[in-house]
Amino acid sequence: MAKLEINFLADRPEALATVSTWVHGEWGHKFHVSLKQMENGFRGRLHRDKIPFTLVGELGGKPVATSTVVSCDLPARKDLYPWLAAV
């Protein structure tokens, strides 16, 4: 049985299109962004050493899950950080 591996999207840039498509399908309409804009947003999270960053879960090398750590996901509560988003 394959084990879930969690990697930084920065280490798996080939999963960028898949992750962008998933998140756009769930929340793109809420934020009124195109798939291309969503992809560009994830490109800005391709690092490991600062927030925001994105993680990708993989089974057998295939992306199956994602999440992003952001500094704030609720402007009314900037005292609460960081946030796990885009799960």
Side-chain angles (χ1 to χ4, degrees):
M1 175 181 256
K3 292 184 181 181
L4 179 68
E5 288 189 34
I6 299 174
N7 299 296
F8 286 96
L9 186 59
D11 295 331
R12 299 290 193 266
E14 65 276 7
L16 180 91
T18 299
V19 167
S20 299
T21 299
W22 290 342
V23 176
H24 183 263
E26 289 297 320
W27 294 289
H29 66 282
K30 180 179 179 183
F31 298 107
H32 308 289
V33 296
S34 69
L35 178 56
K36 187 68 171 172
Q37 289 170 310
M38 188 71 70
E39 285 181 12
N40 287 336
F42 280 104
R43 273 191 190 86
R45 299 175 183 135
L46 291 177
H47 44 261
R48 297 168 217 81
D49 58 346
K50 62 182 178 177
I51 294 173
F53 62 85
T54 297
L55 301 170
V56 60
E58 297 176 312
L59 285 175
K62 178 182 176 189
V64 296
T66 190
S67 63
T68 296
V69 175
V70 297
S71 25
C72 182
D73 201 30
L74 183 62
R77 294 301 310 264
K78 291 183 187 260
D79 59 314
L80 302 174
Y81 60 89
W83 288 74
L84 185 61
V87 178

